[in-house]
Amino acid sequence: MDQLLLYIGIFIAVLALFFSCYACVRVGNFILATKDLEWDSIANITGDLATTKKTIQTLNNRLNGMHSPKVQEQELLMQLMQNAPNQVTNGKIKNVGG
């Protein structure tokens, strides 16, 4: 039983050493990849991401609008636009706007 515990402990220690070396390599690769990165580059990347996000949101809104029935709403808006310039006040037609 003592030998089994000894071998399990050695195996866990070697496994921990392997994982710590792997983590160090990944951190080193990250540092090398970001070595020439400046704040101006980060600001440009942030702006590009914001622009891309806004474009995607606009596209999604357009696609969602294609699936909803808005024919009746458009007809009501057209009727409202045609009737809006002429408002009746005390029996007199009054032109409003424009």
Side-chain angles (χ1 to χ4, degrees):
M1 182 72 174
D2 293 335
Q3 290 180 348
L4 179 66
L5 291 176
L6 179 67
Y7 290 134
I8 290 174
I10 290 173
F11 176 74
I12 291 174
V14 169
L15 193 65
L17 180 66
F18 172 73
F19 282 130
S20 65
C21 290
Y22 180 71
C24 289
V25 169
R26 289 194 55 167
V27 169
N29 288 338
F30 177 75
I31 290 172
L32 288 176
T34 59
K35 188 175 185 179
D36 295 331
L37 193 61
E38 297 176 356
W39 286 109
D40 294 334
S41 301
I42 293 172
N44 289 337
I45 291 171
T46 304
D48 291 343
L49 287 175
T51 303
T52 305
K53 181 179 176 183
K54 185 65 176 172
T55 304
I56 291 171
Q57 285 176 346
T58 304
L59 180 63
N60 283 338
N61 289 337
R62 287 182 186 164
L63 291 175
N64 290 337
M66 288 181 183
H67 299 293
S68 63
K70 293 188 177 183
V71 176
Q72 292 178 347
E73 291 178 345
Q74 290 176 351
E75 290 177 1
L76 290 174
L77 286 174
M78 290 302 290
Q79 289 176 358
L80 182 65
M81 293 294 284
Q82 289 173 355
N83 296 334
N86 298 326
Q87 291 183 352
V88 177
T89 306
N90 295 332
K92 296 180 181 177
I93 296 178
K94 180 179 178 184
N95 288 334
V96 178

